[in-house]
Amino acid sequence: MPPERQGAGGGPQGPQSGHPGGASAGPEGHRPAHHAAPKAGHHGSVPPGPPPTGGQTSGAPSESDGAPQLTGRERLKAGLWPPRLNRAQLIAAVLLFILGLGLAIQVRSTSDSSALRGARQEDLVRILDELDDRSQRLEDEQRRLEGQKTELENSSDQAEEARKQTVEKEQQLGVLAGTVAAEGPGISLTINDPSRSVEADKLLDTIQELRAAGAEAIQVNDVRVVANTYVSDVRGGVEIDGKRVVQPFRFKVIGKPEDLEPALNIPGGVVQTLEKEQATVSVTRQDKIVVDALRKAERPDYARSSSQ
């Protein structure tokens, strides 16, 4: 084998002169010298490599430098996230969002009111009337519920309050039924009949006139007058609910005196009718009348409360 030629640096030269590792030109200077391939195990010989192209430089990075190679998708993702917004872009995005929201609300309200735009005047008036009625009913219901709420809040114990109301209702019914005593303003009426000409019908007319004038409790002598009271004539006198009463007939009446007294003294009324029978009538207003005659509570034979 021909000996290897050494370059200026002492290393093997390539196929072209002027480059490290190349071969020198032949005797004519045109044809490059051919080198034999190095044998395995031969020390000091290096296989000739391809000549560097014009776009490559000795300092270009390669995969052996350790830099990761990114795919197109990864480069796109890295460019989009995290977003890099400046202040002007952020303000523009907020303004566009607000504008879009306003447009959406406007479109929705316009579509909701489109049904009323095509309605007739009579239909619109009817709709407004219905809305007014509904609003009034709701306001009334609100006031009623607020009143109930106030009552419950003011009561420290609801059970105690309910018990008190029950007792008050029982007393009111007892006054009307004659099972409890009563007191209050009213009048006292006294009828003196020396000639014994006042009969049962005159006494019944007096009771009815007092009831019509607003009497809440009536007592004649020692008999309590109630809803089912009856008056009858007997020999030598008058009976009220089967009890004999004698003159003078003393009425104790609880009610508004300003209504009771004029009702008896009207022209052609009770007082004038009794005076025609030769009876003496006196009517006196009083601030406190006590009706203490009682009746025994009787259970009805057939009637029952519908709430049971």
Side-chain angles (χ1 to χ4, degrees):
M1 292 179 62
E4 293 180 341
R5 296 185 182 185
Q6 303 293 327
Q13 294 183 350
Q16 297 178 0
S17 62
H19 295 277
S24 61
E28 293 83 8
H30 298 286
R31 185 177 298 173
H34 296 277
H35 296 276
K39 295 182 179 180
H42 185 350
H43 298 283
S45 63
V46 178
T53 61
Q56 290 180 346
T57 61
S58 60
S62 62
E63 294 182 1
S64 62
D65 295 338
Q69 297 295 322
L70 299 178
T71 63
R73 180 179 298 178
E74 291 176 345
R75 288 196 297 270
L76 178 61
K77 182 178 179 182
L80 294 179
W81 188 263
R84 299 176 179 83
L85 297 178
N86 54 27
R87 184 176 181 180
Q89 292 174 340
L90 182 61
I91 294 175
V94 173
L95 292 177
L96 289 175
F97 174 76
I98 295 175
L99 179 61
L101 182 62
L103 291 175
I105 295 175
Q106 181 66 25
V107 170
R108 182 175 180 180
S109 61
T110 303
S111 61
D112 291 341
S113 60
S114 60
L116 296 178
R117 290 181 179 177
R120 298 178 301 175
Q121 183 177 1
E122 294 81 0
D123 297 335
L124 295 176
V125 172
R126 178 178 56 80
I127 293 174
L128 290 176
D129 292 339
E130 292 177 355
L131 291 176
D132 291 339
D133 294 341
R134 183 181 301 176
S135 176
Q136 185 64 34
R137 289 195 301 269
L138 292 176
E139 290 178 357
D140 295 340
E141 182 69 13
Q142 180 182 3
R143 286 192 293 268
R144 185 182 68 82
L145 294 177
E146 288 178 351
Q148 293 180 356
K149 177 183 177 182
T150 303
E151 292 178 359
L152 294 176
E153 289 178 349
N154 293 336
S155 175
S156 59
D157 189 351
Q158 299 181 12
E160 182 65 19
E161 183 67 22
R163 189 189 67 82
K164 289 181 180 179
Q165 294 180 3
T166 302
V167 171
E168 292 177 359
K169 188 67 175 179
E170 181 181 0
Q171 292 176 351
Q172 293 174 1
L173 296 176
V175 170
L176 298 177
T179 57
V180 297
E183 64 178 27
I187 64 171
S188 61
L189 170 65
T190 302
I191 302 174
N192 288 309
D193 181 25
S195 62
R196 301 180 185 274
S197 59
V198 177
E199 298 179 348
D201 59 338
K202 301 298 188 294
L203 295 180
L204 183 59
D205 290 342
T206 303
I207 293 173
Q208 297 287 34
E209 190 68 34
L210 291 171
R211 283 176 172 171
E216 296 177 354
I218 303 174
Q219 177 177 333
V220 181
N221 290 3
D222 58 350
V223 179
R224 184 72 170 268
V225 177
V226 293
N228 59 349
T229 293
Y230 63 94
V231 183
S232 59
D233 291 319
V234 294
R235 180 180 296 180
V238 178
E239 286 186 353
I240 299 178
D241 290 338
K243 294 182 179 181
R244 186 182 182 89
V245 293
V246 296
Q247 61 90 24
F249 305 111
R250 294 183 176 87
F251 287 73
K252 294 191 292 184
V253 185
I254 296 177
K256 188 176 181 180
E258 293 80 4
D259 294 338
L260 296 175
E261 182 181 8
L264 297 176
N265 291 320
I266 61 175
V270 172
V271 173
Q272 289 187 0
T273 301
L274 293 175
E275 288 177 349
K276 289 180 181 179
E277 300 293 336
Q278 304 301 319
T280 303
V281 181
S282 64
V283 180
T284 306
R285 296 185 184 185
Q286 296 184 12
D287 295 333
K288 183 178 181 180
I289 297 290
V290 178
V291 175
D292 53 5
L294 302 179
R295 295 176 66 92
K296 182 180 179 181
E298 297 179 357
R299 184 180 179 85
D301 295 332
Y302 304 103
R304 295 290 183 272
S305 174
S306 60
S307 60
Q308 291 182 353

